[in-house]
Structures are given as C-alpha cells and as structure tokens.
Amino acid sequence: MDSPKTIKITDPRVAQTKAEHFCAYQERSQQEVRDKLYDWGLWPDAVEQIISQLIEGNFLNEDRFAKAYTKGKFSQKAWGKIKIKQGLKLKKVPDVLIKKALQTIDIDDYAVALTKILEKKAATLTEKNAIKRRYKLQQYAMGRGYETDLIADILKNSEL
C-alpha cells in the first residue's frame, strides 16, 4: 500500500494561510504548528516568521492551548494531573504555563473524577484478595495520571 503523499508548500504566504486554518480549527501548541510547517517543506526562517505572525494574529496562544488541553483531557478522558502534565511537556509547552493550566482543575471535581474511575474499575475486578484488589485499583489510577497520595486517601475512605 502506498504511503500518503505529503503536501509540499514552498510559498510562505500559502503556508501562512494554511497554518491559520490549521490553528483556527482547534487550539494548537507552537510545536505542533512548527512540526506541520516543517512537514510542508518550509525552511526554518520561514517557519519561525509564520509562527510569529500566527502569535501576533492570535491564532496561536500557548496559554490558551494549555488550558484547553487540560480541560479537555480532564473532562473528556478523566486524565489525572500527572498524565496531563506529561502530555503538555510532549507538546513542548513551558512549565510555567503547564502549572497555570493545571490550577484550573477544581480540586473537588478532581477527587470526584478519581472516585468514579476507581468505582468503575472496581466493578470489573474479580480479585477476591483485598490487598491485591487495592493494588490493582491503585495501579490503574496511577496509569490514568493521578497522584499516589490522593489515590491512597480515596481508597482508604471508600469501600472499594
């Protein structure tokens, strides 16, 4: 099977327009846009110029992206803060913005989400041994990106 042909764009104005559409469709990190522009075959100086124009035109905003990413991953996928932070780091978002975005998650909603995840997983476990069951629940929640101390508190205070 043939691999899909990548689009090569040599004109920076055409790339600028396409990049604006790319950013307008959904929030993007600077790194995602940078990678896309390089995929299109643009030179580094043109890429950086387009990125700066996108920032000036408010098509690209790292703070807005970090908050949207955090909100989406928490509310849609119920990811914990650790996993969200890793995802943002992979997108090369600055640590200051990551910290700011993670603060937008409500602490009470966070605990409720973790409790729901643990309850849902507990319903599927067939393990009878309480210690092994607790360990499996803890590992599952850690895999979803939740903090160990919060998991332990919720497991201790609930009948899972």
Short mmCIF file of all heavy atoms in Angstrom, two decimals, residues 37-74:
data_model
loop_
_atom_site.label_atom_id
_atom_site.label_comp_id
_atom_site.label_asym_id
_atom_site.label_seq_id
_atom_site.Cartn_x
_atom_site.Cartn_y
_atom_site.Cartn_z
N LEU A 37 4.55 22.79 9.73
CA LEU A 37 5.20 23.64 8.74
C LEU A 37 6.45 22.96 8.16
O LEU A 37 6.71 23.04 6.96
CB LEU A 37 5.56 25.01 9.35
CG LEU A 37 4.37 25.90 9.71
CD1 LEU A 37 4.83 27.10 10.52
CD2 LEU A 37 3.63 26.36 8.46
N TYR A 38 7.21 22.29 9.02
CA TYR A 38 8.38 21.55 8.53
C TYR A 38 7.94 20.39 7.64
O TYR A 38 8.60 20.09 6.64
CB TYR A 38 9.25 21.05 9.68
CG TYR A 38 10.14 22.11 10.28
CD1 TYR A 38 10.10 22.41 11.63
CD2 TYR A 38 11.03 22.84 9.49
CE1 TYR A 38 10.90 23.39 12.19
CE2 TYR A 38 11.85 23.83 10.03
CZ TYR A 38 11.78 24.09 11.37
OH TYR A 38 12.58 25.06 11.91
N ASP A 39 6.84 19.74 7.98
CA ASP A 39 6.31 18.66 7.13
C ASP A 39 5.95 19.17 5.74
O ASP A 39 6.06 18.45 4.77
CB ASP A 39 5.06 18.02 7.76
CG ASP A 39 5.37 17.15 8.96
OD1 ASP A 39 6.56 16.82 9.18
OD2 ASP A 39 4.41 16.78 9.68
N TRP A 40 5.51 20.41 5.68
CA TRP A 40 5.15 21.01 4.40
C TRP A 40 6.38 21.38 3.59
O TRP A 40 6.27 21.78 2.44
CB TRP A 40 4.27 22.24 4.60
CG TRP A 40 2.91 21.92 5.10
CD1 TRP A 40 2.26 20.72 5.07
CD2 TRP A 40 2.00 22.82 5.74
NE1 TRP A 40 1.02 20.81 5.64
CE2 TRP A 40 0.82 22.10 6.05
CE3 TRP A 40 2.05 24.16 6.07
CZ2 TRP A 40 -0.27 22.67 6.68
CZ3 TRP A 40 0.97 24.74 6.69
CH2 TRP A 40 -0.19 24.00 6.99
N GLY A 41 7.56 21.28 4.20
CA GLY A 41 8.80 21.52 3.47
C GLY A 41 9.31 22.94 3.52
O GLY A 41 10.09 23.36 2.66
N LEU A 42 8.89 23.71 4.50
CA LEU A 42 9.36 25.10 4.61
C LEU A 42 10.72 25.16 5.30
O LEU A 42 11.08 24.29 6.09
CB LEU A 42 8.33 25.92 5.39
CG LEU A 42 7.02 26.15 4.66
CD1 LEU A 42 5.95 26.58 5.63
CD2 LEU A 42 7.19 27.20 3.58
N TRP A 43 11.43 26.24 5.03
CA TRP A 43 12.75 26.46 5.64
C TRP A 43 12.58 27.02 7.05
O TRP A 43 11.59 27.68 7.35
CB TRP A 43 13.56 27.45 4.78
CG TRP A 43 13.87 26.88 3.44
CD1 TRP A 43 13.21 27.12 2.28
CD2 TRP A 43 14.89 25.95 3.13
NE1 TRP A 43 13.75 26.40 1.25
CE2 TRP A 43 14.80 25.66 1.75
CE3 TRP A 43 15.90 25.31 3.87
CZ2 TRP A 43 15.66 24.78 1.09
CZ3 TRP A 43 16.75 24.44 3.21
CH2 TRP A 43 16.63 24.18 1.86
N PRO A 44 13.57 26.79 7.92
CA PRO A 44 13.46 27.24 9.32
C PRO A 44 13.15 28.72 9.50
O PRO A 44 12.35 29.08 10.36
CB PRO A 44 14.83 26.90 9.91
CG PRO A 44 15.30 25.74 9.10
CD PRO A 44 14.76 25.98 7.70
N ASP A 45 13.76 29.60 8.69
CA ASP A 45 13.48 31.03 8.86
C ASP A 45 12.04 31.37 8.49
O ASP A 45 11.39 32.18 9.15
CB ASP A 45 14.48 31.90 8.08
CG ASP A 45 14.53 31.55 6.60
OD1 ASP A 45 14.16 30.42 6.24
OD2 ASP A 45 14.94 32.42 5.80
N ALA A 46 11.50 30.72 7.47
CA ALA A 46 10.09 30.94 7.08
C ALA A 46 9.16 30.39 8.16
O ALA A 46 8.14 31.01 8.47
CB ALA A 46 9.80 30.27 5.74
N VAL A 47 9.53 29.24 8.73
CA VAL A 47 8.71 28.63 9.78
C VAL A 47 8.60 29.57 10.97
O VAL A 47 7.50 29.83 11.47
CB VAL A 47 9.30 27.26 10.21
CG1 VAL A 47 8.65 26.76 11.49
CG2 VAL A 47 9.14 26.24 9.10
N GLU A 48 9.71 30.09 11.42
CA GLU A 48 9.70 30.98 12.59
C GLU A 48 8.96 32.28 12.30
O GLU A 48 8.27 32.82 13.17
CB GLU A 48 11.13 31.26 13.07
CG GLU A 48 11.85 30.03 13.60
CD GLU A 48 11.06 29.25 14.66
OE1 GLU A 48 10.45 29.87 15.56
OE2 GLU A 48 11.03 28.01 14.57
N GLN A 49 9.08 32.78 11.09
CA GLN A 49 8.37 34.01 10.71
C GLN A 49 6.85 33.75 10.73
O GLN A 49 6.09 34.56 11.26
CB GLN A 49 8.81 34.48 9.33
CG GLN A 49 8.13 35.77 8.90
CD GLN A 49 8.54 36.20 7.51
OE1 GLN A 49 9.33 35.54 6.84
NE2 GLN A 49 8.00 37.33 7.07
N ILE A 50 6.42 32.63 10.20
CA ILE A 50 4.99 32.29 10.19
C ILE A 50 4.47 32.11 11.60
O ILE A 50 3.40 32.59 11.95
CB ILE A 50 4.74 31.03 9.32
CG1 ILE A 50 4.97 31.37 7.84
CG2 ILE A 50 3.33 30.49 9.53
CD1 ILE A 50 4.98 30.16 6.92
N ILE A 51 5.26 31.43 12.44
CA ILE A 51 4.86 31.22 13.85
C ILE A 51 4.67 32.57 14.54
O ILE A 51 3.68 32.78 15.24
CB ILE A 51 5.91 30.37 14.61
CG1 ILE A 51 5.99 28.98 14.02
CG2 ILE A 51 5.63 30.36 16.11
CD1 ILE A 51 5.41 27.86 14.76
N SER A 52 5.60 33.49 14.34
CA SER A 52 5.47 34.81 15.00
C SER A 52 4.25 35.57 14.47
O SER A 52 3.57 36.25 15.22
CB SER A 52 6.75 35.63 14.85
OG SER A 52 6.98 35.96 13.51
N GLN A 53 3.94 35.43 13.18
CA GLN A 53 2.76 36.09 12.63
C GLN A 53 1.47 35.46 13.19
O GLN A 53 0.49 36.16 13.43
CB GLN A 53 2.77 36.00 11.10
CG GLN A 53 3.81 36.89 10.47
CD GLN A 53 3.95 36.67 8.96
OE1 GLN A 53 3.43 35.70 8.41
NE2 GLN A 53 4.67 37.56 8.30
N LEU A 54 1.49 34.15 13.39
CA LEU A 54 0.32 33.47 13.97
C LEU A 54 0.09 33.93 15.41
O LEU A 54 -1.05 34.10 15.84
CB LEU A 54 0.49 31.95 13.91
CG LEU A 54 0.41 31.31 12.53
CD1 LEU A 54 0.80 29.84 12.61
CD2 LEU A 54 -0.97 31.46 11.93
N ILE A 55 1.18 34.13 16.13
CA ILE A 55 1.06 34.61 17.52
C ILE A 55 0.52 36.05 17.53
O ILE A 55 -0.37 36.36 18.32
CB ILE A 55 2.43 34.52 18.24
CG1 ILE A 55 2.80 33.06 18.46
CG2 ILE A 55 2.38 35.26 19.58
CD1 ILE A 55 4.23 32.83 18.91
N GLU A 56 1.05 36.90 16.64
CA GLU A 56 0.57 38.28 16.55
C GLU A 56 -0.91 38.34 16.18
O GLU A 56 -1.64 39.17 16.68
CB GLU A 56 1.39 39.06 15.52
CG GLU A 56 2.78 39.42 15.98
CD GLU A 56 3.62 40.04 14.86
OE1 GLU A 56 3.04 40.58 13.90
OE2 GLU A 56 4.85 39.95 14.96
N GLY A 57 -1.34 37.44 15.30
CA GLY A 57 -2.74 37.41 14.87
C GLY A 57 -3.64 36.67 15.84
O GLY A 57 -4.82 36.47 15.56
N ASN A 58 -3.08 36.22 16.95
CA ASN A 58 -3.80 35.49 18.00
C ASN A 58 -4.40 34.15 17.50
O ASN A 58 -5.38 33.66 18.04
CB ASN A 58 -4.89 36.36 18.63
CG ASN A 58 -5.21 35.92 20.04
OD1 ASN A 58 -4.39 35.28 20.70
ND2 ASN A 58 -6.40 36.23 20.51
N PHE A 59 -3.79 33.60 16.45
CA PHE A 59 -4.17 32.25 16.02
C PHE A 59 -3.50 31.22 16.91
O PHE A 59 -3.99 30.11 17.08
CB PHE A 59 -3.74 32.00 14.57
CG PHE A 59 -4.60 32.69 13.56
CD1 PHE A 59 -4.20 33.90 13.01
CD2 PHE A 59 -5.80 32.13 13.15
CE1 PHE A 59 -4.99 34.55 12.08
CE2 PHE A 59 -6.59 32.77 12.22
CZ PHE A 59 -6.19 33.98 11.67
N LEU A 60 -2.38 31.61 17.47
CA LEU A 60 -1.56 30.71 18.27
C LEU A 60 -1.31 31.34 19.64
O LEU A 60 -0.84 32.47 19.72
CB LEU A 60 -0.23 30.49 17.54
CG LEU A 60 0.61 29.27 17.85
CD1 LEU A 60 -0.21 28.00 17.67
CD2 LEU A 60 1.81 29.22 16.93
N ASN A 61 -1.68 30.62 20.69
CA ASN A 61 -1.52 31.13 22.05
C ASN A 61 -1.27 29.93 22.96
O ASN A 61 -2.16 29.11 23.17
CB ASN A 61 -2.80 31.87 22.45
CG ASN A 61 -2.69 32.52 23.80
OD1 ASN A 61 -2.05 31.99 24.71
ND2 ASN A 61 -3.33 33.67 23.95
N GLU A 62 -0.05 29.81 23.45
CA GLU A 62 0.34 28.66 24.27
C GLU A 62 -0.49 28.55 25.55
O GLU A 62 -0.85 27.46 25.97
CB GLU A 62 1.82 28.74 24.64
CG GLU A 62 2.76 28.52 23.49
CD GLU A 62 3.07 27.06 23.24
OE1 GLU A 62 2.28 26.42 22.53
OE2 GLU A 62 4.10 26.56 23.72
N ASP A 63 -0.78 29.68 26.18
CA ASP A 63 -1.56 29.68 27.42
C ASP A 63 -2.96 29.14 27.16
O ASP A 63 -3.46 28.28 27.88
CB ASP A 63 -1.62 31.09 28.00
CG ASP A 63 -2.33 31.15 29.33
OD1 ASP A 63 -2.11 30.24 30.16
OD2 ASP A 63 -3.10 32.11 29.56
N ARG A 64 -3.57 29.64 26.11
CA ARG A 64 -4.92 29.19 25.74
C ARG A 64 -4.92 27.70 25.38
O ARG A 64 -5.81 26.95 25.76
CB ARG A 64 -5.39 30.04 24.56
CG ARG A 64 -6.86 30.02 24.30
CD ARG A 64 -7.25 31.01 23.22
NE ARG A 64 -6.55 30.73 21.97
CZ ARG A 64 -6.23 31.64 21.07
NH1 ARG A 64 -6.51 32.91 21.28
NH2 ARG A 64 -5.62 31.32 19.96
N PHE A 65 -3.86 27.27 24.66
CA PHE A 65 -3.75 25.86 24.29
C PHE A 65 -3.62 24.98 25.53
O PHE A 65 -4.30 23.96 25.65
CB PHE A 65 -2.53 25.62 23.37
CG PHE A 65 -2.19 24.17 23.23
CD1 PHE A 65 -2.95 23.34 22.43
CD2 PHE A 65 -1.13 23.62 23.93
CE1 PHE A 65 -2.67 21.98 22.31
CE2 PHE A 65 -0.83 22.27 23.83
CZ PHE A 65 -1.60 21.46 23.02
N ALA A 66 -2.75 25.37 26.46
CA ALA A 66 -2.52 24.57 27.66
C ALA A 66 -3.80 24.42 28.47
O ALA A 66 -4.12 23.32 28.95
CB ALA A 66 -1.42 25.20 28.52
N LYS A 67 -4.56 25.50 28.60
CA LYS A 67 -5.82 25.43 29.35
C LYS A 67 -6.85 24.57 28.63
O LYS A 67 -7.56 23.78 29.26
CB LYS A 67 -6.37 26.84 29.59
CG LYS A 67 -5.58 27.60 30.62
CD LYS A 67 -6.09 29.01 30.82
CE LYS A 67 -5.25 29.72 31.87
NZ LYS A 67 -5.57 31.14 31.97
N ALA A 68 -6.95 24.70 27.32
CA ALA A 68 -7.90 23.89 26.55
C ALA A 68 -7.53 22.41 26.60
O ALA A 68 -8.40 21.55 26.77
CB ALA A 68 -7.94 24.37 25.10
N TYR A 69 -6.25 22.12 26.49
CA TYR A 69 -5.76 20.73 26.55
C TYR A 69 -6.08 20.13 27.92
O TYR A 69 -6.60 19.02 28.02
CB TYR A 69 -4.25 20.72 26.29
CG TYR A 69 -3.63 19.35 26.24
CD1 TYR A 69 -3.51 18.66 25.04
CD2 TYR A 69 -3.13 18.73 27.39
CE1 TYR A 69 -2.93 17.41 24.99
CE2 TYR A 69 -2.55 17.48 27.35
CZ TYR A 69 -2.44 16.83 26.14
OH TYR A 69 -1.87 15.58 26.10
N THR A 70 -5.79 20.88 28.96
CA THR A 70 -6.04 20.42 30.33
C THR A 70 -7.52 20.16 30.55
O THR A 70 -7.91 19.11 31.05
CB THR A 70 -5.52 21.46 31.35
OG1 THR A 70 -4.12 21.64 31.14
CG2 THR A 70 -5.76 21.03 32.77
N LYS A 71 -8.34 21.12 30.18
CA LYS A 71 -9.79 20.98 30.35
C LYS A 71 -10.32 19.78 29.58
O LYS A 71 -11.11 18.99 30.10
CB LYS A 71 -10.49 22.26 29.90
CG LYS A 71 -11.98 22.26 30.12
CD LYS A 71 -12.58 23.61 29.72
CE LYS A 71 -14.04 23.69 30.05
NZ LYS A 71 -14.91 23.22 29.01
N GLY A 72 -9.88 19.64 28.35
CA GLY A 72 -10.35 18.54 27.51
C GLY A 72 -9.95 17.17 28.02
O GLY A 72 -10.78 16.26 28.11
N LYS A 73 -8.70 17.02 28.35
CA LYS A 73 -8.21 15.71 28.81
C LYS A 73 -8.81 15.33 30.16
O LYS A 73 -9.06 14.17 30.42
CB LYS A 73 -6.68 15.68 28.90
CG LYS A 73 -5.98 15.84 27.57
CD LYS A 73 -6.37 14.77 26.58
CE LYS A 73 -5.64 14.97 25.26
NZ LYS A 73 -6.11 14.08 24.21
N PHE A 74 -9.06 16.34 31.02
CA PHE A 74 -9.66 16.03 32.31
C PHE A 74 -11.14 15.72 32.16
O PHE A 74 -11.63 14.70 32.66
CB PHE A 74 -9.46 17.18 33.31
CG PHE A 74 -10.15 16.95 34.62
CD1 PHE A 74 -9.74 15.92 35.45
CD2 PHE A 74 -11.22 17.73 35.00
CE1 PHE A 74 -10.39 15.67 36.65
CE2 PHE A 74 -11.88 17.49 36.20
CZ PHE A 74 -11.46 16.46 37.03
#
